[in-house]
Amino acid sequence: MRAMSRPVGLPVLAESDLVRQVARRLTDAIVQGRLPPGAKVAEAAVARELGISRAPVREAARLLESQGLLKASPRRGFFVRELSSQEVDELYDLRLCVERHAAVEAARRLTPARRDALRRQLDLMHEIARRDDPATIVEADYQFHRLICEAAGNGRLLRLFDGLASELRIVIGLIGRLYDDPAEIARTHEPVLAAIEAGHPERIVAHVDHHLGVARREVVRLLESLAPPKPSRILPPEA
């Protein structure tokens, strides 16, 4: 008899829009590190834990595969995607391009309501940091950056950001591991918002470059440290 897979803390779902609800639960588990890169998403175990049939779990897995979070393996099922350090570096390269422009446009279009929304999100990040909840604060981090893209007023740019963020959600969970102090994540956003409020394009770009550049370097370094060592090359004996 096969042993049952270990639960990962997924709450039971109600009977409405099951596929999207399952996708959301699995995404949360990935972002929070409960389903780490390379982990198998066992349909039967997930369905049993959520109290539903396997069909919506399979559809949710296919949806997350299309978003780049899962990878299907023939006859083996779905696995949490493993991103290489090069792939993450490329994602951050594109993210820098998107968010530089978004932040400058957000400053140009900044209204009191949008400024208040950004301030409230930053206040929320500080509040979550005081509760010492790293998984939630990195999700709040994502929402802060998305608000900047929303404030830019460009729907296509927002969809581009969401596409990049979908892949980066695997990495977002690692961001919490870059800082021993959760409040540091919130503090690193203060200069970005201050520059947007001041409305100086050069200063905005400089702060976005620094903010994302630090995360880019550290996440790539962390991924490289987690990668298995490459096998040593065995040289043929000298004649």
Side-chain angles (χ1 to χ4, degrees):
M1 181 177 178
R2 295 179 61 187
M4 294 176 63
S5 299
R6 183 180 178 182
V8 293
L10 303 175
V12 175
L13 297 178
E15 287 288 337
S16 62
D17 197 14
L18 282 180
V19 172
R20 292 192 179 278
Q21 288 189 70
V22 174
R24 179 62 186 176
R25 296 291 190 274
L26 291 175
T27 298
D28 288 345
I30 292 169
V31 171
Q32 295 168 8
R34 289 180 283 126
L35 281 173
K40 182 175 182 179
V41 179
E43 293 178 14
V46 171
R48 183 170 54 250
E49 191 171 350
L50 295 177
I52 59 176
S53 68
R54 293 178 62 170
V57 177
R58 188 176 305 114
E59 290 302 312
R62 289 173 181 158
L63 175 61
L64 295 183
E65 181 190 17
S66 71
Q67 295 176 356
L69 273 77
L70 299 182
K71 184 176 181 180
S73 178
R75 296 181 296 278
R76 296 182 62 214
F78 292 91
F79 295 80
V80 179
R81 184 178 169 194
E82 295 180 278
L83 291 172
S84 68
S85 57
Q86 180 178 345
E87 288 176 306
V88 171
D89 192 57
E90 290 172 354
L91 284 169
Y92 267 99
D93 192 41
L94 288 175
R95 187 179 173 188
L96 273 167
C97 295
V98 170
E99 294 202 45
R100 284 170 184 153
H101 179 72
V104 171
E105 284 300 301
R108 191 170 68 84
R109 297 167 176 263
L110 196 63
T111 63
R114 286 170 174 160
R115 180 187 294 111
D116 290 346
L118 285 165
R119 275 287 159 198
R120 284 195 302 271
Q121 188 64 26
L122 191 52
D123 290 342
L124 176 62
M125 292 173 68
H126 283 292
E127 179 185 335
I128 295 170
R130 287 192 291 272
R131 300 202 303 261
D132 194 17
D133 188 352
T136 304
I137 197 172
V138 293
E139 182 65 17
D141 180 337
Y142 159 76
Q143 291 296 337
F144 177 86
H145 288 271
R146 194 179 193 278
L147 281 172
I148 293 175
C149 292
E150 285 181 359
N154 186 323
R156 290 181 181 273
L157 183 146
L158 182 59
R159 288 195 295 274
L160 182 57
F161 172 82
D162 282 340
L164 292 172
S166 179
E167 291 191 81
L168 281 167
R169 279 182 179 277
I170 300 171
V171 184
I172 286 175
L174 295 175
I175 295 175
R177 299 175 58 174
L178 300 181
Y179 301 99
D180 293 329
D181 178 10
E184 184 65 18
I185 296 179
R187 285 195 293 268
T188 60
H189 292 75
E190 291 279 6
V192 176
L193 181 52
I196 291 173
E197 290 174 332
H200 300 297
E202 295 84 2
R203 192 178 304 169
I204 291 169
V205 170
H207 281 294
V208 169
D209 281 1
H210 177 73
H211 176 69
L212 292 181
V214 169
R216 176 185 189 176
R217 289 191 300 273
E218 295 303 318
V219 169
V220 168
R221 187 180 304 166
L222 178 57
L223 283 174
E224 289 174 342
S225 71
L226 296 175
K230 294 181 181 179
S232 301
R233 182 183 176 187
I234 301 177
L235 299 176
E238 294 183 3

